[in-house]
Amino acid sequence: MQNNPVIQAEDKFGLDESVWIAKAQQGDQQAFHQLYLLHHKKVFALCLRMLADASSAEDVCQEVFVQVWQKIINFRGESKFSTWLHSVATHIVLSHIRKHKTWLQKVFSIEDQGVKEDSAEMPELSTLDKHIMQLPERARMVFILFAIEGYRHEEIASMLKMAVGSSKAQYHRARQLLQESLENE
């Protein structure tokens, strides 16, 4: 009987994630590749939801893993690796959005931007994901961070550089728009 109630993620070789982390921290690229295989789908899904563009999501997902490779030595194990990875990914996505947004995009027609669909590149999405991706950018980001990723409004406000009240208002706006969108389907 095990004393540790935490279940470790295991790969196809039966090794738990902590072994791969320790090896990757020592520079083992194969170990890091195993971590990539364990987590890349969830990281890509986060990137896709937040960016609403498959091509950008692929680029940012790769950037996340480049950064994680460079910073994995900083992972101290105070939280689950997936939690740490998720935090890194969220910050990189938000940084990407800030860097690639021009002033005109911020001011004009954000509300009118829909999902950029290219059926050859777009993975299979649920109906809800499709509706979420149609939300205006700020409402979409707040909704994803709060309802899907589990951040508190105080954390979201800090990440998105907005007031806590604005985060809450954007979340309620997103819920209302989603409800209307789903009812009109």
Side-chain angles (χ1 to χ4, degrees), residues 104-148:
L104 288 175
Q105 286 175 313
K106 287 181 182 177
V107 176
F108 299 106
S109 75
I110 286 178
E111 303 292 320
D112 298 329
Q113 291 181 356
V115 178
K116 298 175 188 171
E117 292 193 40
D118 181 348
S119 58
E121 291 182 29
M122 196 65 120
E124 187 62 35
L125 298 173
S126 71
T127 300
L128 182 59
D129 277 334
K130 289 176 185 173
H131 286 275
I132 289 170
M133 291 172 66
Q134 304 263 341
L135 291 171
E137 181 184 44
R138 296 289 269 189
R140 181 180 70 243
M141 289 175 21
V142 170
F143 183 83
I144 291 166
L145 291 172
F146 183 80
I148 298 173

Side-chain angles (χ1 to χ4, degrees), residues 94 136-147 150-176:
L94 293 174
E137 181 184 44
R138 296 289 269 189
R140 181 180 70 243
M141 289 175 21
V142 170
F143 183 83
I144 291 166
L145 291 172
F146 183 80
Y151 285 96
R152 295 184 337 262
H153 283 293
E154 294 78 12
E155 295 170 307
I156 295 166
S158 175
M159 285 188 273
L160 299 179
K161 297 180 180 10
M162 64 171 51
V164 173
S166 295
S167 176
K168 291 177 180 179
Q170 289 292 332
Y171 173 70
H172 290 293
R173 178 179 182 219
R175 284 188 56 198
Q176 181 182 11

Side-chain angles (χ1 to χ4, degrees), residues 33-137:
H33 182 70
Q34 290 302 316
L35 291 172
Y36 172 82
L37 292 175
L38 285 170
H39 295 283
H40 81 279
K41 288 181 182 177
K42 287 185 180 180
V43 171
F44 177 75
L46 170 67
C47 295
L48 181 60
R49 282 186 184 116
M50 291 184 73
L51 297 169
D53 177 59
S55 179
S56 294
E58 288 174 16
D59 292 344
V60 173
C61 184
Q62 290 303 312
E63 176 63 23
V64 167
F65 283 100
V66 167
Q67 291 290 321
V68 168
W69 171 250
Q70 293 171 349
K71 296 179 181 184
I72 196 163
I73 195 71
N74 298 334
F75 176 69
R76 296 184 305 268
E78 294 169 356
S79 63
K80 289 172 59 176
F81 180 76
S82 59
T83 302
W84 179 78
L85 175 63
H86 183 275
S87 177
V88 171
T90 300
H91 283 79
I92 291 173
V93 169
L94 293 174
S95 176
H96 173 83
I97 290 169
R98 284 185 198 110
K99 278 193 276 186
H100 291 89
K101 210 161 240 322
T102 65
W103 181 82
L104 288 175
Q105 286 175 313
K106 287 181 182 177
V107 176
F108 299 106
S109 75
I110 286 178
E111 303 292 320
D112 298 329
Q113 291 181 356
V115 178
K116 298 175 188 171
E117 292 193 40
D118 181 348
S119 58
E121 291 182 29
M122 196 65 120
E124 187 62 35
L125 298 173
S126 71
T127 300
L128 182 59
D129 277 334
K130 289 176 185 173
H131 286 275
I132 289 170
M133 291 172 66
Q134 304 263 341
L135 291 171
E137 181 184 44

